[in-house]
Amino acid sequence: SQQGEEDPQALSIQEGENATMNCSYKTSINNLQWYRQNSGRGLVHLILIRSNEREKHSGRLRVTLDTSKKSSSLLITASRAADTASYFCATLGGGATNKLIFGTGTLLAVQP
Amino acid sequence: EAGVTQFPSHSVIEKGQTVTLRCDPISGHDNLYWYRRVMGKEIKFLLHFVKESKQDESGMPNNRFLAERTGGTYSTLKVQPAELEDSGVYFCASSLGGSGAYEQYFGPGTRLTVT
């Protein structure tokens, strides 16, 4: 079953602007991860935030986590054309397998 | 250190044909996962190997899909016979066992097009 939903499904901004993507999930988590997929390329791990953390930064990325609302957001500041990609949140599916359950993804287009 | 590699990067086959995808995990990674993204939808889990054993194959869509990991090194995913709805991007990921199990490293994916 689908764990997370992301909104918006698609986002188009100008270079230099900030982009915010949201993710909601259904079950309790140990951590939440964000990935990026560039067109024609693989998944790249961006950042992991643990359930006891509320905010985490990595370069131009800022991730927040609200476990009471079962939601997370990814903020990309000062966007660049190279940030154009699909962004996914992912949580662990539970059990011994550690499989990732991905959200539906947000397609971000950064116009130069 | 080499990352996860996948071969081929792109495969175009006709409906009814057979295709075999290969994944080489990072050396020393016991866990190997297969995922796929179909038609621009969400990325879905297919199965998980721990070394050569299938730990979880709950995501395999049907018996046209067969995954193997002989010797606990590289893995293959065979689709036979392929159907149109199998088109998509197939990702492989690997991770260490034990406490490092959460960090999955993904390969570049194989884009499968079934015509």
Side-chain angles (χ1 to χ4, degrees):
Chain A
S1 62
Q2 183 176 302
Q3 168 74 322
E5 294 187 1
E6 295 175 62
D7 75 273
Q9 289 187 334
L11 179 62
S12 182
I13 60 174
Q14 295 294 125
E15 214 166 19
E17 293 180 337
N18 296 341
T20 300
M21 289 158 272
N22 303 297
C23 164
S24 62
Y25 57 91
K26 297 178 182 177
T27 62
S28 60
I29 61 171
N30 290 322
N31 63 63
L32 185 142
Q33 305 175 46
W34 284 89
Y35 287 83
R36 180 185 71 215
Q37 184 198 1
N38 292 84
S39 177
R41 296 187 179 182
L43 284 166
V44 175
H45 183 266
L46 295 176
I47 195 166
L48 180 152
I49 185 166
R50 301 188 189 284
S51 59
N52 60 354
E53 297 176 309
R54 291 296 169 259
E55 187 172 313
K56 197 164 184 178
H57 296 253
S58 176
R60 293 184 295 110
L61 305 180
R62 172 180 169 247
V63 170
T64 62
L65 179 64
D66 187 335
T67 53
S68 66
K69 295 181 180 178
K70 291 188 169 55
S71 67
S72 174
S73 68
L74 171 67
L75 168 67
I76 302 174
T77 60
S79 64
R80 306 166 182 168
D83 295 329
T84 294
S86 291
Y87 292 81
F88 298 89
C89 65
T91 57
L92 287 174
T97 188
N98 287 323
K99 63 187 177 188
L100 290 172
I101 307 296
F102 287 87
T104 52
T106 293
L107 177 58
L108 173 66
V110 181
Q111 310 297 332
Chain B
E1 179 182 333
V4 177
T5 58
Q6 292 186 245
F7 181 83
S9 58
H10 192 184
S11 179
V12 181
I13 61 172
E14 293 183 352
K15 175 183 174 180
Q17 290 185 322
T18 297
V19 63
T20 300
L21 314 180
R22 172 171 171 147
C23 168
D24 285 78
I26 293 172
S27 178
H29 281 193
D30 288 342
N31 295 293
L32 188 149
Y33 302 82
W34 283 98
Y35 297 85
R36 74 171 180 176
R37 187 183 187 199
V38 174
M39 296 285 290
K41 296 183 179 178
E42 69 266 32
I43 300 164
K44 288 192 173 181
F45 166 81
L46 295 178
L47 88 159
H48 169 216
F49 284 100
V50 177
K51 298 184 180 178
E52 68 275 10
S53 300
K54 291 177 184 175
Q55 182 77 13
D56 181 352
E57 51 184 331
S58 61
M60 295 287 265
N62 51 61
N63 59 11
R64 295 186 293 104
F65 289 74
L66 175 64
E68 294 180 325
R69 193 184 181 194
T70 306
T73 55
Y74 71 91
S75 174
T76 58
L77 179 64
K78 179 161 66 174
V79 185
Q80 179 182 29
E83 297 290 343
L84 297 178
E85 62 264 26
D86 300 332
S87 295
V89 182
Y90 289 76
F91 294 103
C92 174
S94 72
S95 70
L96 290 167
S99 60
Y102 295 160
E103 192 74 49
Q104 294 184 25
Y105 298 85
F106 280 79
T110 292
R111 181 172 295 275
L112 175 63
T113 302
V114 182
T115 61

